[in-house]
Structures are given as C-alpha cells and as structure tokens.
Amino acid sequence: MTSDATRSRKERVLELMRANRLAEAEALCAKVARRENNAGAWHLLGVIHGMQGNSAEAERCSREAIRLHPDYAEAYSNLGAALRAQGRLDEAILSLRQALKLQPNHVEALYNLGLALVADQRLDEAVEALYNLGLALAAAGRLEEAAESFRRLLVLNPNHPVAHAYLGNVCVDLGRMEEAVASYRRALQRQPDDAETLNNLGNALSELGRKDEAITAYRQALEINPRYFQACHNLGLAHLEQRNGAEAIASFRRALELQPDDLDVLRNLGWAWRLKGDLSEAIECYRKAIQRKPDFAEARFNLAVVHLLLGQFREGWEEYAWQWRRTGSPVRPCPAPTWDGANLGGRTVFLYAEQGIGDELFFLRFAGQLRQRGAGRLVYRPSPKIASLLARVSAFDRLAGPEQAPSAGDCALSVGDLPRLLGHARADQIPPPLALTPLPARLEAMRARLAALGPAPHLGVTWRAGIKGQDLGIFKESPLAPLAKALAPLPDTVLVLQQSPQPGEIDQFASALGRPVHDLSALNDDLESMLALLALIDEYVGVSNTNMHLRAAVGKTARVLVPAPPEWRWMAEGRESPWFPGFSV
C-alpha cells in the first residue's frame, strides 16, 4: 500500500488490527491486495492470517508479497514465522536469515530466528540470534524485551560473559542497579580482565552509594588498561563524592593527560581543588574551561561560587546569572531581565521566587533596595509554602498567585537577579536578613508545647539538607554519632528538626546522645509553626537549610555545621559569615 489512497486504507487496517477486529481487517486488506496487487497489502494480509493462527495462508500471502517485492525484509520475516509455526524449521531459518540480510537489526526476524534455532537444537546459533536481538531491542529503546532476550540467551549459555555484561547495561538503563551489579559480577567471573565491565560495575555501585566498592572497580579497570579515560574520570568523581580531594585531583589530572580537551574533567578538577581548599587553583581551572568554551555555563557558575566564597561579590554575581543555563537546571521563572539597574521611575517591579525556599528567603533581603532605585509598587510571587509568612512583610505591596504573570510594562525579575542588578560589591553593603514575624497564636501554642516537652534550654538539631548526589556544596550531611556525642554534655532538651528523617535515624541519634529526644520533624511541613518554634528555642545546631534562614528572619542566631567545601554563603574563611551576623560556623 503506497499511494495516498491505499496509505489511508493501511492506517485503517492497522487500527482494526490494534483493536483485534481481525475479520474486518482481513476483509479490507484482502480487497486492496487483490484489486491493486500491492506487496504491502499482501504482507499485511499475511500478518493478519498469522495473528489468526492460519500459518498456511500467512505463508501464501507472504510469498506473494515477496514475488512482487523481492527485497521485502518484513515479508521474509513473516514468512519465516509462518514456516516455523508449521514446523518447517530449515525453511524458516533460511527465510529469517534472508530478512536479516536485507535488514540486519530486524527485531521480529531475530526473535523468530532464535525460536526456530532453539526448536532445531542449533543452540550456538540461537545464542547468537538472541544476542543480536537483545542489542537491536536495546538500540530501539525496548529495554524490558532486550533484558528478556539476554536472559533467554543465558538459559542456553550461562557462561556467555558479554551477554551478562549487556544485561547489566540494560538493567542500568532500567534503573535496576542491584540487578546490574549482579550481572556485571557474573560477567567478570567469566572474563575478569574486561576493563569496560569493571568500569560499568563501578558506575552501578556508585549509583547505589557504594562508593568504596566503586573506587575498587575503577582501580581494577585501570590496572588492566591504564589509558582508560572514562574509568580514570569516574574514579575522580567517586573520590570527589567521598571528599577525597587529593585522590580526586590525581585522577582528574591523569584523565586530562589522556584527553586534554575534555572540559568536564577540567571543571571537575576545579571542584577537587575547592574540596582541597585551594581556591586559586579552582579559579584557574574554571577560567581555562571558559577560555576554551565561553558559554560553558557549569564552569561559569562554579566560578561564581568561588568568587562569592572569597567575598568577590561583583565578579561572583556577574557569573551567577549563568545558573539558569546549566545542564539540568530548572527553567528560569521569568525572562532574562532587561533592567540595567537605573532609576525605575515609579515602575511596578514583579519579583519571581528563586529556585528553593532557602534561596528565596536569602535573596529577598535585597528587595527593599528597589524602592531606593525608584520602584513604585513591589509585587512578589512567592513559593506557596511560605506565602502566608510573607503576607505579613510590609515591603511588598501585593503577593501574586502561583500562576499570575506580570502586567505589561512591569519590570520582571527573579530575586536572584537583585544583587547583580543592584550592584552589590562589598560585605558592608549586605542588607540584613529579611525579617519575619511569627503569628501570636502560634507562639503561644509553641510555648505550651515546649514546656510540655521538657525544661529550658531547648536545642534544635538538623544533620542533613539537600538531596544526596547533588553538588557537594548543596548536599550537606553531618555524621549522626559524632554530632550527638558533641551535644551530649549539654543539659538542653533536644528537639529533632530534621526534614524527612530516615527510618531509625532518630533512635540512632538518641542512642549516641545518651538520652531521649523529641521528634518535631513534621513542623517542616508547617512553616508557620516552625517559624514560631525557631523564635522560641534557645539554641539551634545544624547544617545550612531553610530553617537557618527562618532562624535569621526572627532575629536569632545558630551554630552552623559547614562541610568542606563550604556553601558559598558561609564564606571560605572566618568564624562568621557577613550574610548571617552572629551565626557561628
């Protein structure tokens, strides 16, 4: 069926086949095939007969399609399936091999060839067919079927190392890392000197968080092939995530010897120098990467972070604007700003939230300076989770709803644009944190709750923030036992304020502390109550998170657990950040 008219009839036939209305599909297809003597129609008619279990008719129609079109791979494949169904295995195998000669990755031909070879007890050839079928299915994105093909192959030949390895690859693509690890290990039992499989094993182990095992796998791959670039780079990444700065530097340097022009390695070497605490070397790496690729957003944003860590604010904010162009970054909430920092002349400024609630609260400290630049009305579109808190902030004329857009003529900005556009350059220009006022009723209720939990002083604790696997400066985690033991001598009533604690974590913390603690983690979903709590408790110890911003917003201080490398807002040096006066780090 090739003409426009027959093409529409073909679509109708396929629609009927999908709906399992095979009798109607057969009648329509047979009419076209006989009237127009069309190879495509005869082929489809053969497929329909095969679906109905009529292999003899399927054979006849397929042969007619091949007579009309001798290079018709799909017709040869269907003929092979019909012959296999009749037990004519030698003929079926010949037909299916002809289909694959014409179209080497024809999935259905590979599948039927494997079945025919198994039925004919030609197992070595069946293994090869199933192997090629698995590859073809994987290339087509049909991953579940690819995995099943490799599994069938391994029933026939359990010692096929490449099939084990490819099954591992498919399991990785399906997100089944434990299965992938098992497949790679079986492959390596049979072929232990396969550097590529060792590298893939390391990747799967790394995804599972088993970094030490991943490092061992990468090292073994490099022992076999010292010039294996990908294993060298991956080893550096694993060391980086384990915060092994010197080892990461060594691995990335070796990777750059192997591929000097790889900008991702150069960027990651900059990260390793940051981890080691040598920010001048980190800057050099980022600048080299940017020199080679001026629009390398990841390197530019990382350079921004280093400038901000060093208090070089003007340079930092210029590069910070590249955050929206990084691979995998959220879509910018508003168009790039057209305002250049000049007097606004009474225009309405429509502000959008930054990426996270903590960032949102952090950058809002700059919003009040827009009045000094001639802003008329100040409209803010907050994250819904903190809208009620910000409704009491007098700096805003109005809060916009989640879907509301600025009006024509409004100056639209993300709050993260403000430091750059307002020309922030020095520590003495940093505005104080945004002030928030807890609701009186929530304060009273929280006072009563705290009194019931235990006597003052009350100490809040948080040990983790962010998502594991994020950039090292975003994900923060303090080991539970050392933190608890450091707090044990204090007489305080301890309150756990951890967002989404993992099963058993609070019990582990209490055990290391040596006394019971109180789980108030649910308050992270009720920020009005959390704000009241943070205004009342005597001490707060934790990693940098939204609650640290709320603590600053109520005029209190905290002790911040800052990892290495530090998040930029806690600065590279000093016991106190200019962004959070009175907070100790």
Side-chain angles (χ1 to χ4, degrees), residues 358-386:
D359 287 328
E360 189 174 353
L361 293 169
F362 177 84
F363 284 113
L364 280 173
R365 69 181 67 210
F366 287 96
Q369 294 186 3
L370 290 166
R371 302 286 188 189
Q372 301 164 24
R373 297 295 176 93
R377 289 171 55 78
L378 197 57
V379 180
Y380 182 54
R381 194 176 84 176
S383 300
K385 195 171 181 180
I386 61 170

Side-chain angles (χ1 to χ4, degrees), residues 370-435:
L370 290 166
R371 302 286 188 189
Q372 301 164 24
R373 297 295 176 93
R377 289 171 55 78
L378 197 57
V379 180
Y380 182 54
R381 194 176 84 176
S383 300
K385 195 171 181 180
I386 61 170
S388 65
L389 279 62
L390 297 177
R392 303 191 291 279
V393 175
S394 60
F396 306 122
D397 294 290
R398 182 171 65 84
L399 296 184
E403 304 300 325
Q404 188 172 344
S407 301
D410 288 355
C411 178
L413 307 170
S414 167
V415 289
D417 295 324
L418 293 179
R420 176 174 56 86
L421 295 173
L422 291 166
H424 174 239
R426 303 188 311 273
D428 61 6
Q429 296 174 320
I430 293 177
L434 179 75

Side-chain angles (χ1 to χ4, degrees), residues 223-272:
E223 287 173 7
I224 295 165
N225 180 3
R227 299 189 61 78
Y228 192 172
F229 164 78
Q230 201 59 56
C232 196
H233 188 197
N234 289 336
L235 178 59
L237 291 172
H239 279 307
L240 195 61
E241 292 190 43
Q242 290 291 81
R243 300 181 182 272
N244 301 329
E247 293 89 341
I249 289 167
S251 294
F252 291 139
R253 279 179 160 172
R254 175 59 180 150
L256 283 173
E257 290 174 8
L258 297 171
Q259 290 194 20
D261 295 329
D262 193 292
L263 298 185
D264 285 327
V265 177
L266 194 54
R267 183 267 313 268
N268 289 327
L269 178 58
W271 247 117

Side-chain angles (χ1 to χ4, degrees), residues 471-520:
D471 283 352
L472 297 181
I474 298 176
F475 176 73
K476 288 100 32 177
E477 186 172 31
S478 175
L480 280 182
L483 175 59
K485 289 176 181 176
L487 299 176
L490 301 177
D492 303 45
T493 299
V494 177
L495 317 172
V496 172
L497 307 185
Q498 176 61 47
Q499 171 85 35
S500 303
Q502 296 174 3
E505 273 192 322
I506 294 177
D507 290 339
Q508 294 171 29
F509 182 80
S511 176
L513 184 71
R515 63 182 186 272
V517 298
H518 302 281
D519 179 9
L520 299 185

Side-chain angles (χ1 to χ4, degrees), residues 15 35 46 49-50 160 210 216 247 279 302-303 381 423 516 578:
E15 181 183 321
R35 185 175 63 198
H49 282 304
H160 196 301
R210 294 156 62 179
T216 298
E247 293 89 341
L279 299 185
N302 285 340
L303 180 59
R381 194 176 84 176

Side-chain angles (χ1 to χ4, degrees), residues 13 19 73 89 96 152 161 182 186 206 244 257 289 309 314 319 322 341 369 460 507 518 544 552 558:
V13 168
L89 298 180
L96 292 164
R152 287 185 179 184
R186 285 192 286 269
S206 187
N244 301 329
E257 290 174 8
L309 273 167
R314 188 182 301 279
E319 301 292 351
W322 285 84
Q369 294 186 3
D507 290 339
H518 302 281
S544 179

Side-chain angles (χ1 to χ4, degrees), residues 313-335:
F313 297 116
R314 188 182 301 279
E315 299 91 337
W317 296 127
E318 285 300 320
E319 301 292 351
Y320 189 86
W322 285 84
Q323 66 164 320
W324 303 110
R325 296 173 63 178
R326 292 178 295 161
T327 301
S329 67
V331 176
R332 184 179 171 87
C334 60

